[in-house]
Amino acid sequence: MKIIFIITLFVFLPHLSAQNKFKVEQKETETWRSLYSLIDEKNNLIKVLDSSKYYLTFNTDNYGYFAIFSKKGSPGWSAIDSNENILFQVYNTSFGEPNPDYLIENKIRIIDSNNKIGFANEKGKIIIKPQFEIVTSFHNGKAIIGQSCDKIPWDAHEKEDDCHHYSIVCKKYGYINVLGEIVKSGYSTFEEIQNKINWKAPEE
């Protein structure tokens, strides 16, 4: 009996841990409410999402292991799998407007409850835990980090619902490798470290 039980586990565990690729289809109703459906790679409907919970997405038509939504009851951007499990919160790349990060070199920036930034991979697995005040996307296996940073508003924000745009200014900069290890630190300007490692911003 023990041998049979072990063999049965071996057969079924891979199916339990498997992830499914899917894409998001969006349709607008006559009331301008968007309806979101999750579609598998065989073009079969997985499920229709509750439109009272999901109200904004920036997903492309590509298949992936997670989709990014603004979800009621969750701050910012939530990455969900095909079962609607929240995998992590996605970093918003532009202060003052909705602009969630996206996969670059198979890595996407994520954020925790303390506003620390880390990275997940294309399968939705966290590969660098959130720990950085500010960090760029990767370019040729390197990402620039900022330490002791301040947000400098572009203009005075007279009202709470004014559009809040900021610039980030840090006292020192460095860079990390794909393991999240700080390789160098202590540079005085972003441009200095950018030129040192030949880092380039992603093309839109």
Side-chain angles (χ1 to χ4, degrees):
M1 290 297 292
K2 288 184 179 180
I3 295 175
I4 294 173
F5 177 72
I6 292 170
I7 292 174
T8 303
L9 273 181
F10 179 78
V11 171
F12 285 102
L13 275 178
H15 297 284
L16 291 173
S17 61
Q19 293 175 295
N20 299 315
K21 275 190 170 184
F22 63 97
K23 68 177 181 178
V24 178
E25 283 191 355
Q26 179 177 349
K27 293 181 180 179
E28 286 190 356
T29 66
E30 293 179 355
T31 60
W32 300 100
R33 172 176 284 188
S34 292
L35 298 179
Y36 300 109
S37 301
L38 306 186
I39 309 296
D40 69 16
E41 291 184 285
K42 294 182 179 179
N43 207 35
N44 296 317
L45 174 68
I46 300 173
K47 63 174 61 180
V48 177
L49 300 181
D50 184 346
S51 60
S52 67
K53 295 180 181 178
Y54 298 89
Y55 51 91
L56 188 60
T57 184
F58 278 74
N59 293 290
T60 64
D61 291 330
N62 297 327
Y63 290 95
Y65 291 99
F66 58 85
I68 300 170
F69 282 94
S70 183
K71 188 174 184 292
K72 186 177 181 180
S74 297
W77 300 100
S78 298
I80 65 167
D81 63 15
S82 59
N83 294 314
E84 293 187 71
N85 297 312
I86 296 179
L87 304 177
F88 46 78
Q89 300 302 123
V90 177
Y91 175 68
N92 194 70
T93 65
S94 179
F95 294 103
E97 56 190 13
N99 195 16
D101 201 27
Y102 53 95
L103 285 166
I104 298 172
E105 296 191 2
N106 289 327
K107 299 172 195 63
I108 186 171
R109 283 173 288 182
I110 64 175
I111 194 165
D112 67 8
S113 58
N114 296 315
N115 292 320
K116 297 295 185 182
I117 307 169
F119 289 87
N121 65 15
E122 74 280 6
K123 290 191 174 182
K125 180 181 179 182
I126 297 174
I127 54 174
I128 300 174
K129 69 177 183 179
Q131 59 193 283
F132 305 108
E133 286 184 72
I134 196 74
V135 59
T136 67
S137 56
F138 276 88
H139 176 73
N140 289 336
K142 301 180 181 71
I144 298 174
I145 61 169
Q147 298 168 307
S148 301
C149 304
D150 293 309
K151 288 196 299 185
I152 309 300
W154 290 4
D155 297 299
H157 301 147
E158 296 180 0
K159 300 178 182 178
E160 182 61 30
D161 58 353
D162 283 348
C163 192
H164 290 196
H165 289 90
Y166 298 88
S167 296
I168 298 294
V169 178
C170 305
K171 290 182 173 61
K172 60 180 180 177
Y173 297 86
Y175 72 95
I176 60 173
N177 59 22
V178 293
L179 299 177
E181 299 167 334
I182 298 176
V183 180
K184 289 284 186 180
S185 182
Y187 292 89
S188 58
T189 67
F190 180 90
E191 291 73 21
E192 184 181 6
I193 184 64
Q194 180 180 19
N195 294 332
K196 179 73 175 179
I197 65 174
N198 195 30
W199 183 89
K200 293 180 181 178
E203 295 181 0
E204 296 293 339

